[in-house]
Amino acid sequence: MTATGIGAPVRRKEDFRFVTGRGRYVDDINRPGQAYAFFVRSPHAHANIRGIDASAALAHPGVLSVLTGDDIAADKVGGLICGWAIFNKDGSPMRAGPHPALAQGKVRYVGDHVAVVIAETLAAARDGAEKVAVDYEVLPAAADIAAARKSGAPQIHEAAPNNAVFDWHLGDKAATDAAFARARHVTKLEIVNNRLAPNPMEPRAAVGEYDFGSDSFTLYTTSQNPHVARLVLSAFIGIAPEHKLRVVAPDVGGGFGSKIFIYAEETVCVWASRKVGRPVKWTCDRTEAFLCDAHGRDHVTHAELAIGDNNRIIGLRVHTDANLGAYLSTFASSVPTYLYAPLLSGQYDIPAIYAQVDAWYTNTAPVDAYRGAGRPEATFVVERLVEVAARELRMDPAEFRRANFVRTFPHQTPVIMAYDAGDYEASLKKAQEMHDVKGFGARKAASAAKGKLRGLGYSAYIEACGIAPSAAVGSLGAGVGLWESAEVRVNPIGTVEILTGSHSHGQGHETTFAQLVSDRLGIPIDNVSIVHGDTDKVQMGMGTYGSRSGAVGMSAIYKALDKIEAKAKKVAAHVLEASETDIEFKDGKFTVKGTDKAADFGTIALNAYIAHKFSGQELEPGLKESAFWDPTNFTFPAGVHICEVEFDPADGVVRIDRWTAVDDFGKVINPLIVEGQVHGGIAQGVGQALYEGAVYDEAGQLVTASYMDYCMPRADNLPSYNVGMTVTPCPSNPLGIKGCGEAGAIAAPPAVINAITDALGHENISMPATPEKVWRAAQGVVPRQAAE
Amino acid sequence: MYEFTHHAATSVADAVGALGEGKFLAGGQTLLPTMKQRLAMPGHLVDLGKVAELRGVEEKGDVLVVKAMTRHVEVATSALVARAVPGLEKLAGMIGDPAVRNRGTIGGSIANNDPTADYPAACLALKATIVTNTRRISADDYFTGLFSTALEDGELITAVEFPKAKLHYAKFPNPASRYAMVGVAIVKGADGVRVAVTGSGGDGVFRWSEAEAKLKADFSAGALEGMKADAAGMMSDIHGSAEYRAHLVGVMARRALSES
Ligand SMILES: Cc1cc2nc3c(=O)[nH]c(=O)nc-3n(C[C@H](O)[C@H](O)[C@H](O)COP(=O)(O)OP(=O)(O)OC[C@H]3O[C@@H](n4cnc5c(N)ncnc54)[C@H](O)[C@@H]3O)c2cc1C
């Protein structure tokens, strides 16, 4: 391992720019002649629009234009799309209503986009927006699943009778029912996976610009996948053909999934820039972000686990109701289906699994992927079930897990996934040691002596990352392929630019991708730069989500580097006057087998471009290669997290006393960055378990529309983490990488709740486990020492 | 934010004279966010930031005088405060976060009378006197309900006078906002025992007379064992029901005495 190669804890190259305020985010971009957009948003969860009178707004000084759904329809700009087709049990397609970028006759959630005011200044746009008179006919609202599915519930979309979007299933129902029929014990749980608001540090923003000279658009936007944004805006929404539309996603300050999607505001900015003949900028404020960024989770699940002889799990059955909000966001339909149910086998060898998922429209913000997307929901189901089952069987929860671990690979689960590699026992053992599980009894006794309750909870999670083989996801309904592209441009002096379709918005690609190149070509890391986030520079890409940039994005780079090496060897053969088959390349040096002839990488790069040593007819000059990598399988990061909590039953405030995480991410490129990803993921998972919840009242008003009410985890809520790793290299990509971006958020929630319920001695608590809920649950629970 | 004019006052007289239909601007920690959200729309601001006579902490006989523009950080770190009214410096140190404490002022806090703010509990428990440009108001008469006070239009708080005594204060922060969900201030002073509760009352800060009666006989946490406040009239929201808040009042009162 070199100091900057694979496996080295290189400090992030990009951080100097970020922490010194020199990043360049969308809101930092100002175009000549720029105007400002402010959206008129629905104050009602459900209403018909009888009319919009913009005359007073248009008369306001500085207001340039007020655009509504009628204008966007007149220009034949299409609605926003959902890119994953799900089919009902009877084979019919899901029932999706239209999703116009500006409301057409009806609004369906608080914050829905009614009109946009474009003005010389943001203040004038806001003033104008206040003067747009909208005549609403307020309708009854259905703000949650229970309200939406009731008979006589308000009809949100004509296309979806009873607000039912789809009823989907996966697995073998008959085999699963049979397993339950012969089970010795059945564990049942009712689970609510609470709704979350994503809260990236940088809110969304967009600048749309139309160039009359070239008849082309540019959209600067906070996107995790600018190429997909261009594809959707071009092929589906119809803003402009792809060669007339450039999408730039510069520095982006976090996304957690919420910036994958193609939203109304970005669409409107780019469309309106031609309409008003001026660049149009919109920057979301925090309240708008709470109202309109796609939320995450929001499942209600009935889950059952069947246990047979020898404490072996023989079946798992779930029925999940998923709230998709008022419209189907870009990947909304995939999250509670193919990103969820295929993970229900967890780390366990379960012969029969059946999942039924019903999805519903409600008068709330759209719900889509949020860090983990479906996998946290699945992990919460599985890891709560096994913990509770163990307790019911009076078994140590770790031993119960051990008894059921998958131990041979590859392992085909009954729900699509074929696990390729792993060692779950190794992670559990290491986590138990690092955590000092043995000392728990003494710690619990010490807590009891202070009148406090203490509990320990496990989470042995698995997830599917590196999404995904294009043919596989295509067969499951995805509208796109999920490969990644890379281009390696070697400059004449041997410096390298990597163009990637992945997009970094906190992941540290500028460092890890450069480490791969430095390692492979034997050149200093500072001689490598990473180019991403601009459709004019990078030809095509699928973006960053689902922890795919390492496993898929870097594999594409790896493949392109193979081609670079092959071509460079040809050049080297001419330069070193040897046969190509005798050229060897190692540590940045080309050598001729059996001789002391050598040339460094820079020399060969220069020769590739000056082309003096070979005939241009025989060998093309230059050193630039590209590759697309389509993975052969998902990757399966897995691990064990242990959370230990303590609380005073008098107030119910849960304090996390210690946290141990042992993860198997396959091969690790940069342990520093990986550990950072684990820390951040755990923080978000703890947020879900203890603090966060996006809450609507019955009328569909968002109660948690600011940080005064939406509780984000803070540094003082979190312990110092004990992070360890085990490694089983991933066989499905050349680097052996599995992915680490979501693991913490997936692992953490059940670990926390399992710890709290361990302390309470009963299972009756839901997320977020607020002080009041814990206080209520702890009534009558007396602190005492551990059972043994 | 709507447009407004700004006047940097140089003295109390200048500030009061220049106010007109406007509003005083102190630390801006409440006023500016509400203006940005367009919930407040004053056309004119009189900035108190440069009024020297409104700054500072001093001892005057048996009272501690905290002038209106004294920032929370100054109270939190003042040796004089810690000596004269021990506990008040801790309370100031619990307000918001460092950025808020570096800007927010006692005058702004008391003028705003947020039902979840900390200072009102200290003022009421210590029976402070709110001094304005025209009169002196006892804390007993000053806090009149949610965000409402005895201040007249255009009246300027110049200082708060605290009788010297030890302040016992325990705060249960709202997990999201970190304002007080329940804050209990207890003082045994010249006026006997006073217990003031902030954060939970539906009408803002209030005195808990049942606890005062118990503590008169026995000034200890043990005297309050098993007690909780009356849930009727308590605030109730997603962070805590009236019942939970009423329970926490008892818990925090006991902690105020046992831990501070
Ligand atoms: C993130 C955050 C967290 C916070 N957490 C807490 C907390 O935990 N506990 C807590 O108690 N507070 C908290 N606060 C409130 C803060 O501490 C300030 O006390 C409060 O914002 C008001 O003080 P200010 O000096 O900023 O007043 P401003 O915002 O400037 O003014 C507030 C109001 O008082 C009026 N006013 C100001 N000074 C005078 C005066 N001398 N005479 C008459 N009227 C006057 C103004 O006209 C205005 O109407 C928090 C605030 C924020 C932003």
Side-chain angles (χ1 to χ4, degrees), chain A residues 253-276:
Chain A
F256 311 119
S258 71
K259 292 174 182 166
I260 298 172
F261 322 123
I262 292 65
Y263 288 92
E265 292 88 351
E266 291 85 331
T267 304
V268 166
C269 283
V270 67
W271 162 68
S273 66
R274 177 157 67 182
K275 214 112 188 116
V276 298

Side-chain angles (χ1 to χ4, degrees), chain A residues 127 130 650-651 714 716 772, chain B residues 2 38 176 241 244 247 255:
Chain A
D127 289 344
E130 282 176 8
D651 62 14
R714 324 282 224 282
D716 65 352
E772 174 162 8
Chain B
Y2 295 97
R38 300 191 161 205
S241 65
Y244 181 55
H247 162 79
R255 280 190 196 160

Side-chain angles (χ1 to χ4, degrees), chain A residues 123 126-127 130 287 648 650-653 695 703-704 707-711 714 716-717 771-772 775-776, chain B residues 1-2 36-38 172 174-179 181 237-241 243-244 247-248 251-252 255:
Chain A
R126 285 190 78 155
D127 289 344
E130 282 176 8
T287 300
D648 185 340
D651 62 14
V653 178
V695 177
V703 178
T704 51
Y707 292 130
M708 297 308 271
D709 288 304
Y710 190 90
C711 185
R714 324 282 224 282
D716 65 352
N717 295 132
E772 174 162 8
W775 169 68
R776 284 187 187 283
Chain B
M1 214 177 265
Y2 295 97
K36 281 187 174 175
Q37 291 171 313
R38 300 191 161 205
F172 187 97
N174 175 309
S177 72
R178 304 245 168 140
Y179 274 80
M181 196 152 103
D237 57 30
I238 56 167
H239 306 289
S241 65
E243 189 192 352
Y244 181 55
H247 162 79
L248 283 180
V251 175
M252 290 298 124
R255 280 190 196 160

Side-chain angles (χ1 to χ4, degrees), chain B residues 23-24 26-31 72 96 105 117-118 157 171 178-179:
Chain B
K23 267 188 165 291
F24 296 121
Q29 295 301 291
T30 294
L31 186 53
H72 308 328
T105 66
D118 297 290
I157 300 172
K171 172 178 183 174
R178 304 245 168 140
Y179 274 80

Side-chain angles (χ1 to χ4, degrees), chain B residues 148-221:
Chain B
S148 85
T149 67
L151 290 176
E152 306 275 345
D153 278 353
E155 193 171 359
L156 176 74
I157 300 172
T158 56
V160 182
E161 291 181 6
F162 295 99
K164 287 184 186 170
K166 177 167 169 58
L167 172 72
H168 303 266
Y169 185 66
K171 172 178 183 174
F172 187 97
N174 175 309
S177 72
R178 304 245 168 140
Y179 274 80
M181 196 152 103
V182 169
V184 181
I186 303 177
V187 173
K188 185 178 180 179
D191 274 293
V193 177
R194 293 168 63 102
V195 179
V197 180
T198 189
S200 53
D203 285 327
V205 65
F206 68 92
R207 280 176 64 187
W208 189 20
S209 44
E210 291 88 343
E212 290 178 356
K214 295 263 188 197
L215 291 173
K216 261 180 204 128
D218 171 10
F219 192 73
S220 76

Side-chain angles (χ1 to χ4, degrees), chain A residues 633-655:
Chain A
N633 192 355
F634 291 82
T635 65
F636 299 97
V640 171
H641 287 219
I642 306 177
C643 167
E644 193 168 321
V645 301
E646 184 189 58
F647 54 90
D648 185 340
D651 62 14
V653 178
V654 172
R655 186 180 68 84

Side-chain angles (χ1 to χ4, degrees), chain A residues 208-289:
Chain A
E209 182 170 13
Y210 177 68
D211 180 62
F212 284 86
S214 63
D215 180 33
S216 64
F217 293 88
T218 302
L219 172 64
Y220 302 90
T221 179
T222 46
S223 175
Q224 298 179 215
N225 46 350
H227 292 88
V228 178
R230 183 178 69 162
L231 175 67
V232 171
L233 286 165
S234 158
F236 296 94
I237 299 178
I239 295 289
E242 281 165 302
H243 67 297
K244 297 284 186 186
L245 175 59
R246 174 185 177 200
V247 177
V248 182
D251 286 335
V252 172
F256 311 119
S258 71
K259 292 174 182 166
I260 298 172
F261 322 123
I262 292 65
Y263 288 92
E265 292 88 351
E266 291 85 331
T267 304
V268 166
C269 283
V270 67
W271 162 68
S273 66
R274 177 157 67 182
K275 214 112 188 116
V276 298
R278 303 268 295 267
V280 174
K281 179 178 207 168
W282 168 77
T283 302
C284 188
D285 70 28
R286 194 53 75 178
T287 300
E288 284 182 295

